[in-house]
Amino acid sequence: QVQLVESGGGLVQPGGSLRLSCAASGRTFRSDAMGWFRQAPGKEREFVARITLSRGTTYYTDSAKGRFTISRDNAKNTVYLQMNSLKPEDTAIYYCAADNLYSSSSIYSPEKYDNWGQGTQVTVSS
């Protein structure tokens, strides 16, 4: 069983930055892509960013483009989400997840992913 553990969340003022980490451990990690999602209170879980582990190809939701950067360190089995210019509307629990190779769902859908982490809270407030 693959385990994903997120870290790096916290309270930050508007305009500030945070760097989230997602470390994978357990049996051989076979996924070729990782994603970051977030879920605010009363809202559905939404796609934030995705990266392929082989080529490093990235995808972002429109609200993250230009502010967030997803990256990976394959040697450490870790994926990062650098978040700059944070806004109050970025407040949410952030989750990382591993792509399910056998799912035909859209890469922007949570259904495309399995092996979710427990989440890390990000709060943007003055």
Side-chain angles (χ1 to χ4, degrees):
Q1 183 73 16
V2 173
Q3 291 183 330
L4 303 177
V5 179
E6 302 97 333
S7 61
L11 173 63
V12 63
Q13 292 186 343
S17 298
L18 283 174
R19 187 196 196 202
L20 306 184
S21 299
C22 173
S25 62
R27 63 176 174 84
T28 303
F29 191 58
R30 299 185 182 277
S31 180
D32 188 50
M34 296 287 292
W36 283 99
F37 284 74
R38 66 187 181 188
Q39 188 166 19
K43 295 188 176 182
E44 294 186 351
R45 192 167 296 189
E46 64 173 1
F47 173 85
V48 177
R50 170 186 169 97
I51 187 166
T52 63
L53 301 181
S54 54
R55 296 188 176 187
T57 304
T58 58
Y59 306 80
Y60 298 95
T61 189
D62 286 346
S63 63
K65 290 178 182 176
R67 299 190 301 127
F68 294 3
T69 302
I70 188 171
S71 61
R72 89 286 192 210
D73 184 333
N74 291 341
K76 295 182 178 180
N77 281 341
T78 300
V79 174
Y80 306 96
L81 185 67
Q82 177 68 43
M83 303 187 296
N84 300 328
S85 301
L86 282 162
K87 305 174 181 180
E89 51 263 42
D90 294 317
T91 296
I93 299 175
Y94 283 70
Y95 299 90
C96 68
D99 179 275
N100 181 351
L101 297 174
Y102 304 104
S103 171
S104 59
S105 297
S106 166
I107 63 170
Y108 304 105
S109 169
E111 296 180 359
K112 177 57 174 165
Y113 302 82
D114 56 11
N115 290 309
W116 293 79
Q118 83 290 347
T120 185
Q121 177 70 48
V122 171
T123 303
V124 185
S125 175
S126 56

